[in-house]
Amino acid sequence: MFIIKLGGSVITNKAKECYFKQDVVDRLAVELKKANKQVILIHGAGSFGHIIAKQYMLNNGFKQKKQIKGFAMTQAMVQHLNSLVISSLHNHDIPAVSIPPHAILTLSNHKLTRMNYTIFEQYLDLGFTPVSFGDVALDTRLGFSICSGDLLLQMLAAEFKPEKVIFVLDEDGLYSANPKTNKNATFIEKATRKDLEKLTTRVDAHADVTKGMKGKLHTIKQIAREGVNTILLNGNIHNCLYDTLKGKKVRSTIVYGDKI
Ligand code: IPE
């Protein structure tokens, strides 16, 4: 089984509110169908979640009454994005079912304290493709906060120990520095968790409510601790996801899970 996250910057235009990249999602759906693997799919919120979540400072927890409206609107917008993703999967003959995080988990100070894993298992056993996503959720300490797709990936990887976790990004993989702002950034083909420790301090966080690349490195290290390999690849390159699912080497980064 594979756990795959379609990043918000691949499936949406992060700069334009609620801009869904239908053509990209349709192509990725074709690749998933062709590869014919058992998959749990997670997708990010992109411009359906980050812009409004930032505006209402939802990740800081409940501080002011006006945030209530922002929370409710964000929940609706990410669910709308989820419906668009699910429809594309259905159009490509993938039996996708939606598992909204806000209904199956609770956070406490941003950390996951309770999650219904059985629902994923039951759907998988019946032959469905469970699809979950970055969402807003209740937080017992903060009132509410944000549950990123990366956090879901980390928790699901620990629970299900998949063959691989795959991050589908709008970059080829990991670099020694942010390639969008640093010309000298070098591409990393392979890394261990130890290699990533050195990298973390040098990579600057993008302006995301869920901490961008810095947060992602933390997630990948946690997945590696579970002994699971993570692959980061470019979702804008045709067949990169398909080839990877089929075990073919493409330009991508692999982070090896710890030997346990
Ligand atoms: C963020 O989810 C969820 C909200 C902002 C509500 P992610 O952190 O997984 O989304 P992307 O992949 O960065 O867009």
Side-chain angles (χ1 to χ4, degrees):
M1 194 257 283
F2 293 83
I3 305 183
I4 302 174
K5 182 186 175 198
L6 306 180
S9 50
V10 179
I11 64 168
T12 77
N13 180 335
K14 270 199 155 175
K16 293 184 185 162
E17 199 160 11
C18 296
Y19 189 107
F20 182 61
K21 292 191 184 164
Q22 184 76 56
D23 50 339
V24 176
V25 177
D26 284 343
R27 179 179 44 77
L28 292 170
V30 170
E31 294 184 29
L32 284 169
K33 177 69 188 170
K34 230 178 9 169
N36 191 28
K37 300 283 182 189
Q38 191 182 46
V39 159
I40 295 179
L41 205 62
I42 309 291
H43 64 78
S47 61
F48 286 67
H50 281 285
I51 297 171
I52 183 162
K54 197 171 180 180
Q55 189 187 335
Y56 285 91
M57 295 185 292
L58 299 181
N59 212 21
N60 299 346
F62 181 41
K63 300 232 159 52
Q64 299 168 45
K65 232 174 158 186
K66 68 169 191 197
Q67 288 176 295
I68 295 291
K69 183 180 165 208
F71 180 98
M73 278 165 41
T74 308
Q75 192 190 86
M77 277 157 71
V78 293
Q79 292 214 113
H80 177 50
L81 172 63
N82 180 245
S83 307
L84 295 171
V85 172
I86 297 260
S87 293
S88 169
L89 295 168
H90 288 175
N91 289 339
H92 295 88
D93 207 23
I94 296 171
V97 283
S98 171
I99 305 185
H102 68 259
I104 59 146
L105 58 82
T106 310
L107 304 169
S108 174
N109 203 16
H110 305 288
K111 296 209 163 50
L112 202 117
T113 51
R114 181 195 65 88
M115 162 129 131
N116 180 356
Y117 292 103
T118 320
I119 189 166
F120 288 92
E121 218 170 310
Q122 287 176 332
Y123 275 129
L124 281 173
D125 287 349
L126 288 166
F128 290 101
T129 299
V131 183
S132 196
F133 50 92
D135 197 0
V136 284
L138 292 172
D139 186 306
T140 47
R141 291 273 295 280
L142 304 171
F144 53 66
S145 58
I146 287 175
C147 173
S148 70
D150 289 16
L151 178 62
L152 288 172
L153 217 66
Q154 183 185 318
M155 302 314 287
L156 290 166
E159 178 72 17
F160 292 113
K161 300 276 180 350
E163 196 176 323
K164 278 187 188 81
V165 164
I166 301 176
F167 281 92
V168 179
L169 309 172
D170 66 342
E171 287 163 2
D172 292 351
L174 287 179
Y175 289 81
S176 57
N178 184 351
K180 291 192 172 111
T181 53
N182 190 331
K183 279 201 313 277
N184 300 324
T186 54
F187 187 66
I188 299 166
E189 264 187 53
K190 306 170 184 186
T192 60
R193 187 163 58 83
K194 279 223 170 83
D195 299 331
L196 295 190
E197 301 289 355
K198 290 174 232 154
L199 203 67
T200 317
T201 48
R202 282 190 274 134
V203 177
D204 43 38
H206 302 185
D208 252 3
V209 287
T210 47
K211 298 201 203 83
M213 198 42 101
K214 205 166 183 176
K216 193 164 303 311
L217 284 175
H218 174 74
T219 305
I220 297 165
K221 284 189 282 180
Q222 296 302 329
I223 295 169
R225 275 181 204 280
E226 301 293 335
V228 176
N229 291 349
T230 298
I231 293 189
L232 298 98
L233 58 81
N234 195 331
N236 294 318
I237 296 179
H238 290 213
N239 284 323
C240 205
L241 176 60
Y242 171 74
D243 286 341
T244 300
L245 286 169
K246 285 298 200 187
K248 205 171 137 193
K249 179 81 186 96
V250 293
R251 181 174 158 90
S252 58
T253 300
I254 179 159
V255 179
Y256 295 107
D258 293 359
K259 289 196 170 52
I260 44 178

